[in-house]
Each structure stands twice: as structure tokens, then as C-alpha cells.
Amino acid sequence: MSFVEIKKLVKSFGPEVAVAGIDLSVEQGEFVTLLGPSGCGKTTTLRCIAGLEHPDSGDIQIEGDYVTSVANEVFLTPEERNLGMVFQSYAVWPHMTVFDNVAYGLRIRRETRAAIKEKTTNALNLVGLGHLAERYATKLSGGQRQRVALARAIVYNPKVVLFDEPLSNLDAKLREQMRIELTRLQHDVGITSIYVTHDQTEALVMSDRVVVMDKGVIQQIGDPETIYAEPTNAFVANFIGVANLMEGKLLGHEGSATDVEIPLGDGSAPIRLKTTGAEGAPVGSKIILSIRPEDILLHLEKPADTLNLIEGEVIDTVYLGNFLDCQVQVGPYEIGVQIDHFEELDLGQKVYLSFTPDHGLCLTE
Ligand code: ATP
């Protein structure tokens, strides 16, 4: 059994199904991120784990103990669960010093004066605020306040720390810095962490595993590389990074290759793919071809003997520092292509796009 086990969790608000029966296991020391668009149910899932929300059905176990079991009428209060929480709003008490903010939870737990001093000092040193212990919280920057919130969440050695978009109020630069610090801290201390965000970069950079959610349902669980390179459906492909998606038809399988056809207005492009997410799909069924901008080659002349060649017209180009982002009209689709070398392109110019069979993915909806 895993450290945190969630089984068949359902939570509705009136007719709105926020969480539609999810199963999730988190190992001890793991950093798992719930990622998805606004309203997909990630916060509700986190609040159910925290004990802030009563689910309609399902079980949640932490370290083998039920903290929620609807069928067995078990529901531990948030305090009884011994979890740390860090939220978007810093919730740092302005009238207290940094030390007192962090020590508060220990005082409530009636720890000894010596234990409070030692644990608070340790937690403050871990988040790099040891030197600001006596400063009042009002005199802190946004990043420092968020560190106080973090120290407060880890000071009593909780079983799991729950994070709900903790970095979203910070500016871009500070957010990047805090991402690195949080990941380092998480690895140093080995806290089991469940993190909620709608920011895919944050999820991919920080997590051991990412749980992609949509409409209250888990779409895919995997390590960041797998989620990015092998999305299991069109939603994940599109949500994680930028993907060009084109609808087509499955023609058949030959050995490890899959052949599909993409209708493009006045013709259709035969496409051969190496990997496929549509092994079980019958011939003739609707598929979605997903191809990332950085995996497409752009040719000015029609290359000979090239697989997966499609013709298009340049409709936009933007220089983004070290690469050129080019939009190419291909039949009804605007295909994004990322070129990492300088290329002189005119609007309306005819170009040819190609990609190797191992770069395109064949997905079902
Ligand atoms: P966000 O990133 O915007 O917070 P989310 O993925 O965390 O989104 P949830 O906050 O879990 O999504 O919400 C899931 C669905 O449940 C949404 O449609 C939301 O409107 C609804 N919902 C959440 N909390 C409540 C509530 N207290 N009362 C009514 N509906 C709610």
C-alpha cells in the first residue's frame, strides 16, 4: 500500500460534479502534482485530502489509516490528519514576528518551550529565514512571506504537505526562484507533497509525477517526461506544451508502424507513425495526430523521398530570441513550427513540412 491512497473519490456541489471518482496513490517522499485547467477539480481533491471537504463517496488513507471513508462513516478533522498546508494567499499573521508565526502551531500543540525553539529554528533555517526570526511579518517581501508559510507547514513534521497554487501570487522571476527552492527543500527534507497548479511548467519542473485532470477525471498519471513525450490523449497533448492537433482516419497497422490519413481540404496526407496510442482502435476509426512544433522540419524546396510530407503556406512568423516561431496554413489547420536556425520567410510563401514517424503521436479523443 502507498503512503497516501485515494479510492473512488467523488465530490459534487449540487449538480456540478467536481471530482468524478478518482483513484490516486502517492508514495512516501514523493512530490505529486495535480495539474489541469480551472475548474477541473484539483482544488476540491486537495481539500478532500485536507479534510476541508466532505466527499460524497470514496476513501482516503494516509499511512495505512483511514482519514476519510464515506461508506464506513470515518471522517477525521483537518487537525487530526496531521497535514501541512500552504495556500496561494500567504495567511501570515502580520502582528507576529516570523518566529511566532512559525511557532504558533507548536504552541497550540502544547510542545515544550525548548522543543518549540529547536523546531522553529530548524524550520526557519531550512527555508532560509533563520536571520529574520525576529522581524515582523509586515516587513517581509512576498517571497519571504511564502517561505514563512512553508516553514509553518513543515515545522511540526506533518505526514504530507498540501500545496494549493502557492506561487501564483508571486511575480515571474520570484516564482522561478521559489520553484527551485521548493524542489530543493522537498528533496532535502523528503516531505511527501501533493501540489496543485494550473501552470504546466511548474508541474513539469518540480514533480516526480504529474496527474493531469480534466472535468473531475484523471486523464493521465506519469513522470514529467512521459506526460510530455507520450500523452495518452488529445487533451493531455494539448494541455502540456503546445501541440498541433489534426483529425484523421486510422488506415491500419504494419509491424510497429501505424498508417493514418489526414484530410487537408483538396487532398489528404498519408502519415506513417512509429508509436501509437490507438493500438486497440479499429481500422477506419477517427484519430488525432499530435505533433509538437519543435519536432517539425521546414523545407523551402520539396524534398525527395521524405515521409510525412505536407505542403503549406507561411501565414505568420515571430522571432523569439533563439528561435523562429512560424505559423503555416496546412489545409484547414494552422500548424506551429519552431525553427532554431535563421530562415528568411515571406508571408504567403509555399513551404513543406515533415516529421519522422517517431515524432508524431496517434491519439484518440
Ligand atoms: P481552479 O484552478 O480555478 O481553482 P480547480 O481545478 O481547482 O480550479 P475546483 O476548485 O476543484 O477546480 O472546482 C471544480 C468544480 O467545482 C468547479 O466547477 C467549481 O465551480 C465547483 N466548485 C468548487 N467548489 C465549490 C463550492 N464550494 N460550491 C460550488 N461549486 C464549487
Side-chain angles (χ1 to χ4, degrees):
M1 170 177 287
S2 300
F3 198 66
V4 180
E5 285 276 359
I6 300 173
K7 295 244 172 70
K8 297 191 169 56
L9 188 74
V10 176
K11 174 68 189 174
S12 302
F13 296 98
E16 181 93 37
V17 183
V19 179
I22 68 165
D23 292 317
L24 177 65
S25 307
V26 178
E27 302 303 328
Q28 188 159 21
E30 208 183 6
F31 193 122
V32 168
T33 297
L34 309 182
L35 172 70
S38 181
C40 73
K42 45 195 194 304
T43 298
T44 305
T45 304
L46 200 75
R47 288 174 57 84
C48 286
I49 301 170
L52 297 170
E53 216 65 82
H54 284 259
D56 305 332
S57 59
D59 297 333
I60 303 172
Q61 279 170 282
I62 298 176
E63 222 180 353
D65 297 326
Y66 283 100
V67 293
T68 297
S69 176
V70 177
N72 297 310
E73 296 181 8
V74 175
F75 188 86
L76 266 56
T77 63
E79 296 75 31
E80 290 167 335
R81 296 180 186 217
N82 195 26
L83 308 175
M85 292 178 223
V86 185
F87 295 112
Q88 185 175 344
S89 51
Y90 316 122
V92 167
W93 293 296
H95 58 287
M96 287 187 194
T97 63
V98 166
F99 186 94
D100 288 339
N101 258 283
V102 177
Y104 186 79
L106 300 172
R107 292 201 171 111
I108 285 191
R109 286 174 171 77
R110 304 201 175 282
E111 300 232 4
T112 63
R113 189 179 273 261
I116 291 172
K117 173 95 180 132
E118 190 193 334
K119 289 180 186 178
T120 305
T121 307
N122 278 347
L124 285 175
N125 286 340
L126 269 172
V127 301
L129 285 184
H131 62 297
L132 295 181
E134 296 313 319
R135 185 173 285 190
Y136 273 87
T138 41
K139 304 249 163 59
L140 298 176
S141 69
Q144 287 167 337
R145 279 182 212 191
Q146 199 51 294
R147 286 193 190 103
V148 173
L150 184 61
R152 217 165 50 182
I154 60 175
V155 71
Y156 47 86
N157 197 22
K159 291 180 179 171
V160 182
V161 178
L162 307 175
F163 296 91
D164 193 357
E165 310 243 7
L167 307 185
S168 57
N169 277 346
L170 306 178
D171 67 48
K173 202 157 169 223
L174 190 55
R175 202 158 55 218
E176 208 168 299
Q177 189 188 336
M178 288 294 288
R179 251 183 229 156
I180 298 167
E181 285 188 24
L182 252 180
T183 316
R184 175 191 56 78
L185 182 78
Q186 205 273 335
H187 284 142
D188 287 356
V189 186
I191 332 160
T192 309
S193 307
I194 305 180
Y195 192 98
V196 159
T197 183
H198 62 270
D199 180 331
Q200 42 132 329
T201 312
E202 210 166 284
L204 294 180
V205 170
M206 298 176 75
S207 321
D208 295 318
R209 281 189 306 147
V210 178
V211 179
V212 185
M213 293 181 67
D214 186 35
K215 300 191 180 82
V217 176
I218 293 179
Q219 302 291 325
Q220 186 170 3
I221 305 180
D223 59 58
E225 294 77 22
T226 308
I227 294 278
Y228 188 84
E230 296 164 34
T232 50
N233 60 32
F235 174 81
V236 179
N238 204 22
F239 191 73
I240 307 287
V242 184
N244 294 297
L245 302 177
M246 290 178 265
E247 280 186 19
K249 193 167 77 175
L250 182 66
L251 296 182
H253 305 290
E254 199 183 304
S256 62
T258 297
D259 290 308
V260 303
E261 183 183 52
I262 309 294
L264 295 172
D266 50 357
S268 68
I271 303 288
R272 171 154 281 210
L273 304 166
K274 197 163 139 198
T275 49
T276 170
E279 283 95 348
V283 167
S285 57
K286 191 175 135 188
I287 57 89
I288 291 165
L289 167 68
S290 165
I291 171 90
R292 302 239 180 242
E294 65 269 28
D295 291 332
I296 300 179
L297 294 173
L298 183 141
H299 316 265
L300 301 181
E301 305 290 337
K302 188 172 187 173
D305 300 330
T306 301
L307 268 178
N308 302 338
L309 191 66
I310 44 182
E311 196 178 306
E313 206 171 86
V314 176
I315 51 172
D316 196 18
T317 56
V318 182
Y319 283 95
L320 291 167
N322 49 353
F323 64 84
L324 174 71
D325 186 54
C326 178
Q327 295 296 315
V328 178
Q329 189 75 45
V330 175
Y333 301 104
E334 282 182 23
I335 302 297
V337 185
Q338 231 176 58
I339 311 166
D340 61 6
H341 55 275
F342 184 79
E343 199 78 73
E344 197 70 61
L345 292 170
D346 297 321
L347 297 190
Q349 183 176 346
K350 189 187 252 191
V351 289
Y352 299 87
L353 308 180
S354 72
F355 55 91
T356 61
D358 50 348
H359 275 134
L361 287 171
C362 177
L363 306 169
T364 49
E365 265 183 323

